[in-house]
Amino acid sequence: MEGSLTCTLAIESSCDDLSCAVLSNDGADDGNGIKILSNIVYSQDYIHSAYGGVVPELASRNHIKTSIPVLRAALSKAGIKLRDIDFISATAGPGLAGSLLVGLMTAKTLSYALKKPFARINHIEGHIFSPFLETQEEFPFIALVISGGHSHIYIVKSHTSILLLGKTRDDACGEAFDKISNYLNYGYPGGRIVDEMAGKGDKKAFNFSLPMKHSGNLDFSFSGLKTQAINIINKLGGPGKLKEETVYNLFASYREAIAGILLKKVLSACKITGVKTIVVSGGVSANSRIRSLFNEILPENGIKPVFPSQGLSTDNAAMIGYVGFFKDKIDPVKDKEGFCNINADPSWEL
Ligand code: KG4
Ligand code: ZN
């Protein structure tokens, strides 16, 4: 950690949530000495649910409306003035180009006007380190990032050594939940809805074959699972024709299949690498069955599962600020060329 830089203002706007957070590194009992002073998230779910998914143009337009009020709320909750901020952290990718640009331009402008250094952060890196806002870092670990846009497995040896081991070949894990919820008209985002309804069902009611179970690598595929579910629904008469109890059972079986394939792949990752800690993060890590299954089976195999708390699973700026503390900083005033080169990278791979 850079000792003299104790307070960061972080901005995250990669998709449909806009979030601002203030963090200080001058000591917290839990985590790694970094304290969240505020972490405000403005969710646009109420806008995009009508369309069954994120509409990029609406997301960026609404970020423009909400960026200043959310920024003010984060500063006010933290009891911090802009002049007390030591550096600015912001997400530069991956994500939706228009959405990223709103947060990034807000952050660049603040950095330039306040003459404070700037940290350009990768969104996935934010998710990977999000649990360490609340618990001690332990290297090396396997990182499973499961969100609306990603299903990736990495081996993380240090803050600067993150290596991709496997990823989805098609849909992200969150999409698998969102698309099936949409198909049955239960709304967007569907992950939480499917999770809650699955809690009332029988996980053994329907049989799903687990995609890429025997692939011999650490890649995933979720689109076939979604097709299996759609075929079952159509055989039962199509959306709107299923009894409530049947939907509960279908969701329970579907969630079990997703949790099962994720578990299988992380167990393989631990076997291949010899690593004994698994960090699960991203919006889907809020899933109650993934948490209970991992917490039950991994310790039996001598592996420690680590999850962020529910509030830090989905997109938030605190995780971006956390990574900001150990990233190189760009000085916007001294390094004008570097400042001009701070750009969004919608497909930034770690
Ligand atoms: O990390 P995140 O907030 O945004 C992205 O970076 O994509 O993840 C959002 C995803 C959505 O697909 C949402 O349906 C899913 O996380 N999600 C869940 C749950 N809560 C949110 N999926 C399964 N179970 C949940 N409880
Ligand atoms: Zn995310």
Side-chain angles (χ1 to χ4, degrees), residues 158-179:
S158 69
H159 288 152
T160 50
S161 169
I162 303 175
L163 195 78
L164 182 68
L165 299 178
K167 63 176 182 176
T168 181
R169 300 256 177 111
D170 41 57
D171 290 353
C173 193
E175 282 180 274
F177 283 105
D178 295 338
K179 286 181 177 173

Short mmCIF file of all heavy atoms in Angstrom, two decimals, residues 158-179:
data_model
loop_
_atom_site.label_atom_id
_atom_site.label_comp_id
_atom_site.label_asym_id
_atom_site.label_seq_id
_atom_site.Cartn_x
_atom_site.Cartn_y
_atom_site.Cartn_z
N SER A 158 -0.50 -12.90 -6.31
CA SER A 158 -0.21 -11.65 -5.61
C SER A 158 -1.08 -10.58 -6.25
O SER A 158 -1.83 -10.86 -7.19
CB SER A 158 1.27 -11.28 -5.79
OG SER A 158 1.50 -10.91 -7.14
N HIS A 159 -0.94 -9.33 -5.78
CA HIS A 159 -1.71 -8.23 -6.39
C HIS A 159 -1.37 -8.08 -7.87
O HIS A 159 -2.17 -7.58 -8.65
CB HIS A 159 -1.39 -6.91 -5.69
CG HIS A 159 -1.98 -6.83 -4.31
ND1 HIS A 159 -1.42 -6.07 -3.31
CD2 HIS A 159 -3.08 -7.41 -3.77
CE1 HIS A 159 -2.16 -6.19 -2.22
NE2 HIS A 159 -3.16 -6.99 -2.47
N THR A 160 -0.18 -8.50 -8.25
CA THR A 160 0.25 -8.27 -9.63
C THR A 160 0.34 -9.55 -10.46
O THR A 160 0.72 -9.50 -11.62
CB THR A 160 1.63 -7.56 -9.66
OG1 THR A 160 2.50 -8.28 -8.80
CG2 THR A 160 1.51 -6.11 -9.22
N SER A 161 0.00 -10.68 -9.88
CA SER A 161 0.06 -11.94 -10.63
C SER A 161 -1.31 -12.61 -10.67
O SER A 161 -1.71 -13.30 -9.72
CB SER A 161 1.11 -12.87 -10.00
OG SER A 161 1.00 -14.15 -10.57
N ILE A 162 -2.04 -12.38 -11.75
CA ILE A 162 -3.39 -12.94 -11.92
C ILE A 162 -3.41 -13.63 -13.28
O ILE A 162 -3.23 -12.99 -14.31
CB ILE A 162 -4.47 -11.84 -11.88
CG1 ILE A 162 -4.39 -11.03 -10.57
CG2 ILE A 162 -5.86 -12.44 -12.06
CD1 ILE A 162 -5.33 -9.85 -10.50
N LEU A 163 -3.60 -14.96 -13.25
CA LEU A 163 -3.50 -15.73 -14.50
C LEU A 163 -4.83 -16.44 -14.79
O LEU A 163 -5.36 -17.12 -13.92
CB LEU A 163 -2.39 -16.76 -14.31
CG LEU A 163 -1.89 -17.42 -15.57
CD1 LEU A 163 -0.94 -16.48 -16.30
CD2 LEU A 163 -1.18 -18.73 -15.21
N LEU A 164 -5.32 -16.27 -16.01
CA LEU A 164 -6.60 -16.89 -16.40
C LEU A 164 -6.42 -18.41 -16.58
O LEU A 164 -5.52 -18.85 -17.30
CB LEU A 164 -7.10 -16.27 -17.71
CG LEU A 164 -8.44 -16.78 -18.22
CD1 LEU A 164 -9.59 -16.36 -17.30
CD2 LEU A 164 -8.71 -16.28 -19.64
N LEU A 165 -7.30 -19.20 -15.94
CA LEU A 165 -7.23 -20.67 -16.09
C LEU A 165 -8.37 -21.20 -16.96
O LEU A 165 -8.23 -22.23 -17.61
CB LEU A 165 -7.31 -21.35 -14.72
CG LEU A 165 -6.21 -21.04 -13.71
CD1 LEU A 165 -6.48 -21.77 -12.40
CD2 LEU A 165 -4.84 -21.44 -14.24
N GLY A 166 -9.50 -20.51 -16.95
CA GLY A 166 -10.64 -20.98 -17.75
C GLY A 166 -11.73 -19.94 -17.75
O GLY A 166 -11.77 -19.06 -16.89
N LYS A 167 -12.65 -20.05 -18.74
CA LYS A 167 -13.76 -19.09 -18.79
C LYS A 167 -14.92 -19.67 -19.58
O LYS A 167 -14.80 -20.75 -20.17
CB LYS A 167 -13.29 -17.78 -19.42
CG LYS A 167 -12.84 -17.88 -20.86
CD LYS A 167 -12.50 -16.48 -21.37
CE LYS A 167 -12.09 -16.54 -22.82
NZ LYS A 167 -11.85 -15.24 -23.40
N THR A 168 -16.02 -18.96 -19.60
CA THR A 168 -17.18 -19.46 -20.33
C THR A 168 -16.93 -19.37 -21.83
O THR A 168 -16.27 -18.44 -22.30
CB THR A 168 -18.47 -18.69 -19.94
OG1 THR A 168 -19.55 -19.26 -20.69
CG2 THR A 168 -18.38 -17.21 -20.25
N ARG A 169 -17.47 -20.37 -22.53
CA ARG A 169 -17.34 -20.37 -24.00
C ARG A 169 -18.52 -19.64 -24.62
O ARG A 169 -18.52 -19.38 -25.81
CB ARG A 169 -17.34 -21.81 -24.50
CG ARG A 169 -16.20 -22.64 -23.94
CD ARG A 169 -15.13 -22.82 -25.01
NE ARG A 169 -13.99 -23.56 -24.49
CZ ARG A 169 -13.69 -24.79 -24.86
NH1 ARG A 169 -14.44 -25.44 -25.73
NH2 ARG A 169 -12.61 -25.38 -24.37
N ASP A 170 -19.58 -19.39 -23.83
CA ASP A 170 -20.77 -18.74 -24.40
C ASP A 170 -21.38 -17.78 -23.38
O ASP A 170 -20.78 -16.77 -23.07
CB ASP A 170 -21.78 -19.77 -24.93
CG ASP A 170 -21.91 -20.98 -24.00
OD1 ASP A 170 -22.24 -20.77 -22.83
OD2 ASP A 170 -21.67 -22.13 -24.44
N ASP A 171 -22.54 -18.11 -22.83
CA ASP A 171 -23.20 -17.21 -21.87
C ASP A 171 -22.42 -17.14 -20.56
O ASP A 171 -21.79 -18.13 -20.15
CB ASP A 171 -24.61 -17.72 -21.54
CG ASP A 171 -25.56 -17.58 -22.72
OD1 ASP A 171 -25.17 -16.98 -23.73
OD2 ASP A 171 -26.69 -18.09 -22.62
N ALA A 172 -22.55 -16.00 -19.88
CA ALA A 172 -22.03 -15.91 -18.52
C ALA A 172 -23.02 -16.59 -17.58
O ALA A 172 -24.19 -16.78 -17.93
CB ALA A 172 -21.85 -14.45 -18.13
N CYS A 173 -22.53 -16.93 -16.39
CA CYS A 173 -23.35 -17.63 -15.41
C CYS A 173 -24.59 -16.79 -15.03
O CYS A 173 -25.70 -17.32 -14.93
CB CYS A 173 -22.46 -17.85 -14.19
SG CYS A 173 -23.10 -18.96 -13.02
N GLY A 174 -24.41 -15.50 -14.85
CA GLY A 174 -25.54 -14.61 -14.51
C GLY A 174 -26.58 -14.58 -15.62
O GLY A 174 -27.79 -14.54 -15.36
N GLU A 175 -26.12 -14.65 -16.87
CA GLU A 175 -27.06 -14.67 -18.00
C GLU A 175 -27.92 -15.92 -17.96
O GLU A 175 -29.09 -15.89 -18.36
CB GLU A 175 -26.29 -14.65 -19.33
CG GLU A 175 -25.76 -13.30 -19.74
CD GLU A 175 -25.03 -13.43 -21.07
OE1 GLU A 175 -23.82 -13.77 -21.05
OE2 GLU A 175 -25.67 -13.22 -22.12
N ALA A 176 -27.32 -17.03 -17.53
CA ALA A 176 -28.08 -18.29 -17.45
C ALA A 176 -29.29 -18.09 -16.52
O ALA A 176 -30.39 -18.58 -16.80
CB ALA A 176 -27.19 -19.42 -16.96
N PHE A 177 -29.08 -17.36 -15.41
CA PHE A 177 -30.19 -17.08 -14.50
C PHE A 177 -31.14 -16.04 -15.11
O PHE A 177 -32.36 -16.19 -15.07
CB PHE A 177 -29.65 -16.56 -13.16
CG PHE A 177 -29.09 -17.63 -12.27
CD1 PHE A 177 -27.72 -17.79 -12.12
CD2 PHE A 177 -29.93 -18.49 -11.58
CE1 PHE A 177 -27.19 -18.78 -11.30
CE2 PHE A 177 -29.42 -19.49 -10.76
CZ PHE A 177 -28.05 -19.63 -10.61
N ASP A 178 -30.56 -14.98 -15.68
CA ASP A 178 -31.39 -13.87 -16.18
C ASP A 178 -32.28 -14.32 -17.33
O ASP A 178 -33.45 -13.95 -17.42
CB ASP A 178 -30.49 -12.70 -16.64
CG ASP A 178 -29.73 -12.08 -15.49
OD1 ASP A 178 -30.18 -12.22 -14.33
OD2 ASP A 178 -28.68 -11.45 -15.73
N LYS A 179 -31.71 -15.14 -18.24
CA LYS A 179 -32.47 -15.51 -19.44
C LYS A 179 -33.64 -16.43 -19.10
O LYS A 179 -34.70 -16.33 -19.72
CB LYS A 179 -31.53 -16.17 -20.47
CG LYS A 179 -30.64 -15.13 -21.15
CD LYS A 179 -29.74 -15.75 -22.19
CE LYS A 179 -28.92 -14.67 -22.89
NZ LYS A 179 -27.91 -15.24 -23.79
#
